[in-house]
Amino acid sequence: VSTQSTWGPFNRIIETRRSLGMVLCRSWYHETWCSLYRISFVFILFGLFQLTAAQSPTVTSVTPGNGQANSQVTVTLAGSNFGSFGTPTITYSNGGTTSTCTNVNRVSSSSVTGRLKNNIDPGEFVTFRVTANGNTGSYSTATFTATTTSGVCPAGKYITGSGLCTDCSAGTISTSSSVRSCTSCNAGQSSSAGTTSCSNCAANTYSSAGSTCSPCAAGSTSSSGSSSCTVCAAGRAVQSGSCSTCSAGKFSLAGSTTCTTCGINT
């Protein structure tokens, strides 16, 4: 088999490249150089195929899931298609701001590490994406959440399932740091959001367990720390915040706020 017929398919490719001004061989008498050009051209095509066939990186989890705000926390991203050569790029988005991790290290094709910058405020969460071997993935659903500036969720707050340090709601408290839930105040008591102790509801207000104090309905009263209100009986009415007996010649129905003068012949 002649050399010319063996390299026939590549000759046609080279002739096409020559027509585009990319001259690889001047004649078939320069067989050695032509062979080198052909081999390099095959490697170029193979490399382009590899880049085209590479899949986009995907981030499936972030460790740790939460940590100190405004600090350079090192995170580990697990996923796939993080590449087999070179150093990937990790970008993260928080509150509409996009930043790039420093000290990135590709542990394997499914694990990379990087260091966050000190630009994440408490309560913000971060999503990540990886660029490896020229392919950029989508932002992850896995997140890192910044807690407080000290990294500890203090008393009066609790850590949510997503790692966010959040105030206990009104009517609930926490008395120690880094708890996962808040404790309801007893009936007749309440608290402001983010506090560590409960206090009695004021007179003429009431509460059920874990709720805020509500005013008694018209015509009813309560003492301090009550879980319910008492309706004023007939012949009595709410005056100056308490049930008072109507004066002679006046009457009232149960739950009244005023006494009414009796009619003629009554």
Side-chain angles (χ1 to χ4, degrees):
V1 179
S2 68
T3 304
Q4 197 161 359
S5 62
T6 301
W7 290 96
F10 290 98
N11 292 339
R12 288 191 291 273
I13 295 173
I14 293 168
E15 289 299 328
T16 302
R17 291 168 64 87
R18 176 185 293 169
S19 67
L20 297 174
M22 303 175 69
V23 180
L24 295 180
C25 302
R26 291 186 177 275
S27 71
W28 292 112
Y29 299 103
H30 298 83
E31 189 62 36
T32 301
W33 289 107
C34 287
S35 297
L36 292 175
Y37 281 133
R38 293 185 186 104
I39 292 171
S40 63
F41 183 49
V42 168
F43 276 105
I44 291 172
L45 289 177
F46 179 75
L48 290 174
F49 173 77
Q50 288 291 89
L51 289 176
T52 304
Q55 295 180 331
S56 296
T58 301
V59 177
T60 56
S61 65
V62 181
T63 306
N66 59 79
Q68 184 175 343
N70 297 320
S71 64
Q72 296 179 337
V73 178
T74 296
V75 294
T76 299
L77 309 183
S80 59
N81 306 316
F82 293 160
S84 56
F85 60 88
T87 302
T89 300
I90 302 175
T91 54
Y92 62 92
S93 176
N94 60 301
T97 301
T98 301
S99 305
T100 303
C101 284
T102 60
N103 296 75
V104 176
N105 177 45
R106 184 180 57 79
V107 180
S108 67
S109 61
S110 59
S111 177
V112 292
T113 62
R115 181 179 296 171
L116 300 174
K117 297 178 180 178
N118 56 349
N119 62 345
I120 308 172
D121 294 327
E124 286 190 327
F125 66 91
V126 177
T127 58
F128 300 85
R129 71 177 179 184
V130 173
T131 300
N133 295 354
N135 288 276
T136 301
S138 301
Y139 278 104
S140 62
T141 54
T143 60
F144 170 90
T145 305
T147 54
T148 61
T149 54
S150 64
V152 177
C153 196
K157 300 176 182 288
Y158 73 104
I159 301 174
T160 66
S162 60
L164 180 64
C165 184
T166 304
D167 283 347
C168 290
S169 60
T172 66
I173 60 170
S174 68
T175 57
S176 57
S177 62
S178 300
V179 298
R180 292 286 177 177
S181 61
C182 300
T183 303
S184 296
C185 293
N186 294 328
Q189 294 185 323
S190 190
S191 65
S192 301
T195 54
T196 59
S197 61
C198 301
S199 56
N200 287 341
C201 292
N204 297 317
T205 66
Y206 72 100
S207 75
S208 56
S211 66
T212 56
C213 300
S214 301
C216 293
S220 61
T221 62
S222 71
S223 58
S224 174
S226 296
S227 59
S228 62
C229 299
T230 302
V231 176
C232 287
R236 297 168 67 87
V238 177
Q239 296 178 358
S240 300
S242 62
C243 291
S244 301
T245 303
C246 293
S247 58
K250 293 186 176 182
F251 76 99
S252 70
L253 301 177
S256 296
T257 57
T258 59
C259 295
T260 304
T261 302
C262 295
I264 298 176
N265 299 323
T266 61

